[in-house]
Amino acid sequence: MFELDPAFALTSEALPGLALCEARLQLDARFPWIVLIPRIDRAFELEDLSVEERAMLMAEIVVAGEALRAVGAALGRPVEKLNVGQLGNITRQLHVHIVGRRQDDLCWPGPVWGQGTAEAYASETLQMALSAAANVLEA
Amino acid sequence: MFELDPAFALTSEALPGLALCEARLQLDARFPWIVLIPRIDRAFELEDLSVEERAMLMAEIVVAGEALRAVGAALGRPVEKLNVGQLGNITRQLHVHIVGRRQDDLCWPGPVWGQGTAEAYASETLQMALSAAANVLEA
């Protein structure tokens, strides 16, 4: 039975779920950032998914990218590049990061993982980001 | 018409190509590391691929992971975790990194991208790595 690793609740806020994945907005105002977690028990690597589940995950990664473009536009910081990462070195449950990047962001052109400290969203900005993302994910 | 970005030739060595992607071994002895570049002109993001191409890419990412497990085994350093990244902040042509990680590697548990300096392979080790990867990619 699938249970979300409790680590995700500490760093992210739930978004509307997709067919395969839980979707969560990373609570880091530095970057629009979504984490997708396939609802598959004991999946740690992409190879642990079936071919059908992998295709669904790929489709949901692309949708998450669209959602991040909507978040960036809503916050007046359009996304210039998408970054996708599946690491899992710390939190082992299979999850995929999709991050909206800009040339003026704090980590450009390096990756965001393990860099610096998350910045809290102002509560109004967080609501705008959640709403913009949800509109795309629910479509 | 697809042309490989010349940046890849500076940092990696060709492996047998797959149905969709050029495959290259990153010339960095710190980690078994394969870069896949879909042979699709003007692709920068996953969303620039068709649904069929995305499914092929996902399948080839999984094959590249198997190849890295073979490389790690051949070099006496079995892969403990796979990391997958699609960034493209510097080299824009769409490409996917697949990296074999170990808890005793130099960047664990952080990502490898943008960290430290590549270490050259000893030529015999490089041949072993290329051969182990090719055996899987050609299968």
Side-chain angles (χ1 to χ4, degrees), chain A residues 45-64:
Chain A
E45 302 278 10
L46 295 173
E47 65 203 24
D48 298 330
L49 301 183
S50 70
V51 169
E52 293 72 21
E53 289 161 350
R54 286 176 209 155
M56 289 175 78
L57 176 58
M58 181 62 97
E60 295 183 3
I61 289 169
V62 172
V63 170

Side-chain angles (χ1 to χ4, degrees), chain A residues 11 54 75 133:
Chain A
T11 52
R54 286 176 209 155
L75 303 186

Side-chain angles (χ1 to χ4, degrees), chain A residues 2 4 8 12-13 15-26 33-40 46 49 56-65 67-68 84-87 93-99 137:
Chain A
F2 174 77
L4 192 69
F8 294 109
S12 61
E13 178 90 12
L15 287 166
L18 296 166
L20 178 68
C21 294
E22 298 285 310
R24 303 187 63 92
L25 184 77
Q26 189 82 356
W33 181 340
I34 287 174
V35 182
L36 295 180
I37 308 107
R39 280 186 224 90
I40 305 291
L46 295 173
L49 301 183
M56 289 175 78
L57 176 58
M58 181 62 97
E60 295 183 3
I61 289 169
V62 172
V63 170
L68 292 175
V84 180
Q86 184 262 309
L87 292 97
Q93 187 172 60
L94 179 62
H95 60 284
V96 178
H97 301 272
I98 303 99
V99 189
L137 298 177

Side-chain angles (χ1 to χ4, degrees), chain A residues 44-47 54 58 61 69 81-90 92 101 108-109 111 113 115, chain B residues 44-47 54 58 69 81-90 92 101 108-109 111 113 115:
Chain A
F44 304 102
E45 302 278 10
L46 295 173
E47 65 203 24
R54 286 176 209 155
M58 181 62 97
I61 289 169
R69 292 191 189 281
K81 183 74 192 72
L82 293 166
N83 284 181
V84 180
Q86 184 262 309
L87 292 97
N89 303 340
I90 297 170
R92 307 295 284 194
R101 305 297 306 274
W108 186 270
W113 302 287
Q115 298 301 306
Chain B
F44 305 102
E45 302 278 10
L46 294 172
E47 64 202 24
R54 285 177 210 155
M58 181 61 97
R69 291 191 190 282
K81 183 73 190 71
L82 293 166
N83 285 182
V84 180
Q86 184 262 309
L87 292 97
N89 303 340
I90 297 171
R92 307 294 284 195
R101 304 299 306 276
W108 186 270
W113 303 286
Q115 298 301 306

Side-chain angles (χ1 to χ4, degrees), chain B residues 113-130:
Chain B
W113 303 286
Q115 298 301 306
T117 310
E119 286 177 15
Y121 274 103
S123 74
E124 196 170 314
T125 314
L126 177 60
Q127 291 313 314
M128 286 172 64
L130 289 169

Side-chain angles (χ1 to χ4, degrees), chain A residues 33 77 112 138:
Chain A
W33 181 340
R77 292 182 52 77
V112 303
E138 284 173 337

